[in-house]
Amino acid sequence: MITLDCPPLPARFAVLADVHGNADALAAVLADMRQFAPEAVLVLGDHVSGPLDPVGTADQLMALNAYFLRGNHDRYLLEKAPEDMWGSDRIAYDALSKAALDWLAEMPQILDFDDVWACHATPLQDGTYWSHKAGPGGIMHPRPMEEIAAWAEGITAPLLLCAHTHLPVLLRLPTGQMLFNPGSVGCPGYEDDREPFPHRMQMGTPAACYAIIDRHGADFRFTQRYVPYDARRMAEAARGYGAQDWANAVTTGYLDD
């Protein structure tokens, strides 16, 4: 895992993740974020893959002064042959410019700000849920705390940031460290058919999620934001790609009609 050592973060910073090509959700989040005037922005991966608007998303993100890291879907765009890509990745790959793919390739997998540490999924893998696990029947369960804490061993930062589940989460570990996931900006529902437990994640809201984090002495305070936006253009794009489940997710927060 490639780590980028970064200067300490300022008193207020924003955390975004899992945009997944939803340009209109991203625009709504960036507009909402202005009222808080964060001094830094972190974007935790899975930026453009989705049957929505990968080019419009990349254009906004590439113009943003932010810290970016690479998620598993960003890695797939760089490592997989196009014919082996999942549908959402292939759509993004075919649409993106070489400059956008080069931008993804330059990203680290871990951001280390000394007292804040960020990855896309877990410290060792970019495709495993840190806070949850899938079980029989496709049900998502909270992961046992001993497993969550084991993955944090060797990391001294009091605040650990992750993404990947698309679920907003704040957990206190036995060490006193906090594990925080800001949720997904642009993909409030998805289906994963991989064994041993194919599963669904559905947030139950189409709102675009992100967070503002403030330092208060040695502590952190979290403002979780759920931003409504007009998802009709994104839903129409998804239908154009034959992805009705994505259209449902961005308009309702659920995969089914």
Side-chain angles (χ1 to χ4, degrees):
M1 301 283 273
I2 301 171
T3 300
L4 177 64
D5 292 322
C6 307
L9 287 166
R12 171 171 287 181
F13 54 97
V15 184
L16 289 62
D18 293 295
V19 180
H20 279 283
N22 191 330
D24 292 356
L26 176 61
V29 162
L30 296 179
D32 186 78
M33 194 171 69
R34 293 188 191 105
Q35 67 185 297
F36 298 101
E39 299 169 84
V41 179
L42 284 62
V43 191
L44 306 185
D46 282 6
H47 306 294
V48 293
S49 289
L52 305 173
D53 183 5
V55 173
T57 300
D59 288 345
Q60 291 182 76
L61 291 175
M62 292 172 72
L64 186 65
N65 183 17
Y67 292 98
F68 296 94
L69 58 76
R70 189 190 309 169
N72 59 308
H73 282 278
D74 308 315
R75 176 171 59 82
Y76 300 157
L77 292 173
L78 300 170
E79 294 183 358
K80 286 191 174 185
E83 60 271 18
D84 294 331
M85 292 179 180
W86 289 352
S88 61
D89 299 318
R90 181 61 187 267
I91 289 166
Y93 180 84
D94 288 344
L96 292 173
S97 66
K98 182 179 182 299
L101 292 171
D102 289 344
W103 168 72
L104 292 174
E106 293 173 356
M107 293 178 188
Q109 293 157 298
I110 293 169
L111 296 169
D112 189 345
F113 300 91
D114 190 23
D115 65 345
V116 178
W117 189 98
C119 66
H120 177 69
T122 72
L124 299 178
Q125 300 180 25
D126 63 11
T128 301
Y129 303 136
W130 199 342
S131 61
H132 288 71
K133 64 193 307 184
I139 305 300
M140 292 283 284
H141 301 279
R143 187 177 291 278
M145 179 52 71
E146 57 267 25
E147 295 181 17
I148 294 172
W151 276 330
E153 289 181 2
I155 304 172
T156 59
L159 177 58
L160 311 174
L161 302 176
C162 67
H164 191 54
T165 64
H166 299 202
L167 297 172
V169 168
L170 178 61
L171 296 173
R172 184 185 185 278
L173 276 57
T175 57
Q177 294 167 295
M178 304 302 293
L179 176 65
F180 181 70
N181 184 329
S184 172
V185 169
C187 180
Y190 64 85
E191 188 165 17
D192 190 329
D193 61 2
R194 290 176 294 180
E195 298 294 342
F197 300 120
H199 59 278
R200 286 180 157 195
M201 193 294 299
Q202 301 177 106
M203 281 184 56
T205 173
C209 292
Y210 80 105
I212 299 291
I213 300 179
D214 290 289
R215 296 178 182 274
H216 285 263
D219 297 321
F220 297 91
R221 295 184 181 178
F222 304 84
T223 301
Q224 183 70 53
R225 300 290 291 174
Y226 293 84
V227 183
Y229 71 100
D230 186 345
R232 287 177 293 180
R233 189 177 76 91
M234 295 294 93
E236 187 61 28
R239 293 187 191 100
Y241 286 112
Q244 183 62 44
D245 55 342
W246 280 75
N248 295 338
V250 300
T251 53
T252 70
Y254 295 95
L255 293 167
D256 295 326
D257 291 323

